[in-house]
Amino acid sequence: MRTKCSFLLFFIFILPLALAKLTPNFYSSSCPEAESIIFNVVQRRFNTDRSITGALLRMHFHDCFSGNVCDASILIDSTIRSQPEKDSGSNLTVRGYEIIDEIKNAVEQKCPSTVSCADIIALATRDAVALAGGLNYSLPTGRLDGLRSNADEVNLPGTSLSVPNVLQMFAEKGFNTTETVVILGAHTVGVVHCSFFQDRLADSDMDPAFAQELSKACEASSGSDDPMTNLDRGTPTSLDSQYYNQTLFKRGVLQIDQALALDASTHDIVAHFANDEDDFQLSFANVMVKLGSLQVLTDGQGEIRQNCRAFNRDNNANKPNRGRGLKRA
């Protein structure tokens, strides 16, 4: 089993190859208040809605995993000419767009056309993780926003896939088995619609008492045809390793969550993180940095949107973005 040291070595010697075009504190001269503005907005929202951590983690993952590019393409709204990633079936339940809008508006007032929406998603997610009890990891920035978004190009792992299929999908993106188990640990702060698991409440791999608890939770919810419940039933607003603990006792809500604890290729990894909170925290931070660096756009490959929901050309604001990362006059 990997140790904290081995994960740290992986982070130091392997990840810099992927991060060559990103830089820590990228906006220290061009917009020195950017990261504090982002944190303050996320903190205000977290104080009233702690489920925002799970929402931002999901948005960040869906943005980066689709098309293998972290370019804020998930934020683009529909037009009469196109159906963007946001319109795909896999993304219809993604939420948190309004907090990105709030952050973008605040940053634009301070530093116009300087901070990308892609960096805002990554930094806001980092801050939400820290507020929920995770590590406040250093995050290289300098991403540009993408120039395309297509619902037909979205290909995300489903909750009912087998472990081998999920591992294969993540391997194609450059993640090994341990890293895949770590990323799915984000479910410790997630919520899910009841329709995603109601068909497995009678499964033999779910604890009967837990199945009854979930059934009652769904029945008790009102005001929705498809109510939601927490994936982590013990500490749903804390980013911790309890997600792994509950799957060891057949209390995994989603099929893929429970399957990780039962499959021979992942069981020992799940058991390790269930018993080593510190290693999970370090591993999660490293994987989030890696996720946020998948084929990022830099060096004129994209733009800095004035409105995160629309390409600059659609805003009639297709102005050159000069001076990013440079000291403002």
Side-chain angles (χ1 to χ4, degrees):
M1 186 60 58
R2 293 179 182 267
T3 63
K4 293 180 192 177
C5 181
S6 67
F7 273 113
L8 187 58
L9 289 174
F10 174 83
F11 177 72
I12 293 174
F13 292 113
I14 302 298
L15 284 186
L17 298 177
L19 304 181
K21 294 184 178 181
L22 299 180
T23 307
N25 302 312
F26 182 84
Y27 299 106
S28 59
S29 295
S30 61
C31 190
E33 296 179 59
E35 293 199 22
S36 62
I37 291 172
I38 293 170
F39 176 81
N40 288 337
V41 174
V42 174
Q43 185 179 49
R44 286 197 299 271
R45 177 62 177 270
F46 182 83
N47 288 341
T48 60
D49 176 15
R50 298 201 169 190
S51 73
I52 194 61
T53 302
L56 288 173
L57 277 167
R58 188 161 183 252
M59 177 191 293
H60 188 34
F61 173 75
H62 282 222
D63 182 50
C64 294
F65 210 80
S66 294
N68 209 36
V69 182
C70 295
D71 62 354
S73 52
I74 195 171
L75 302 180
I76 297 297
D77 281 343
S78 304
T79 69
I80 59 174
R81 302 186 303 274
S82 65
Q83 281 192 307
E85 292 178 19
K86 186 182 289 185
D87 289 346
S88 75
S90 300
N91 288 331
L92 293 179
T93 55
V94 172
R95 60 192 181 90
Y97 298 113
E98 72 288 341
I99 193 173
I100 303 300
D101 293 336
E102 182 179 351
I103 293 170
K104 181 62 174 175
N105 290 336
V107 172
E108 282 293 304
Q109 290 179 19
K110 182 66 65 172
C111 313
S113 300
T114 303
V115 182
S116 70
C117 302
D119 275 343
I120 288 174
I121 293 177
L123 288 167
T125 301
R126 186 271 308 272
D127 292 342
V129 165
L131 288 166
L135 293 182
N136 187 16
Y137 49 89
S138 175
L139 183 70
T141 45
R143 301 163 185 80
L144 287 174
D145 299 322
L147 301 173
R148 55 178 290 147
S149 182
N150 190 338
D152 293 335
E153 296 177 0
V154 174
N155 183 27
L156 293 160
T159 60
S160 60
L161 285 180
S162 68
V163 170
N165 286 338
V166 167
L167 294 179
Q168 178 60 36
M169 287 192 71
F170 277 86
E172 291 172 357
K173 303 291 186 180
F175 295 97
N176 62 33
T177 299
T178 299
E179 291 169 332
T180 301
V181 174
V182 171
I183 290 178
L184 289 173
H187 287 173
T188 191
V189 288
V191 295
V192 63
H193 288 276
C194 292
S195 61
F196 281 84
F197 62 82
Q198 282 182 317
D199 62 346
R200 61 178 304 265
L201 293 179
D203 286 358
S204 60
D205 63 2
M206 179 179 283
D207 174 65
F210 184 60
Q212 186 174 15
E213 175 188 325
L214 290 177
S215 180
K216 289 181 179 179
C218 291
E219 292 172 0
S221 299
S222 59
S224 172
D225 293 332
D226 191 7
M228 294 189 296
T229 191
N230 296 313
L231 287 168
D232 182 339
R233 307 295 297 174
T235 56
T237 61
S238 298
L239 197 136
D240 55 28
S241 62
Q242 289 305 305
Y243 158 84
Y244 301 107
N245 274 294
Q246 68 183 24
T247 62
L248 293 176
F249 293 94
K250 294 188 174 184
R251 295 174 64 85
V253 177
L254 296 175
Q255 179 176 318
I256 184 57
D257 295 338
Q258 189 56 62
L260 290 177
L262 298 175
D263 193 277
S265 66
T266 51
H267 170 80
D268 289 349
I269 302 171
V270 170
H272 168 71
F273 287 128
N275 291 286
D276 194 331
E277 174 74 25
D278 290 341
D279 199 14
F280 167 67
Q281 295 286 2
L282 177 61
S283 302
F284 190 80
N286 287 347
V287 167
M288 289 305 297
V289 173
K290 182 174 180 177
L291 172 68
S293 306
L294 291 177
Q295 298 294 316
V296 295
L297 303 179
T298 60
D299 300 332
Q301 297 170 322
E303 65 181 7
I304 304 171
R305 295 181 206 140
Q306 279 74 53
N307 173 4
C308 288
R309 293 174 178 261
F311 303 116
N312 286 344
R313 62 177 181 267
D314 295 330
N315 282 325
N316 295 316
N318 192 17
K319 303 174 182 177
N321 298 302
R322 300 188 178 95
R324 297 185 72 236
L326 302 178
K327 187 173 181 180
R328 299 178 64 85

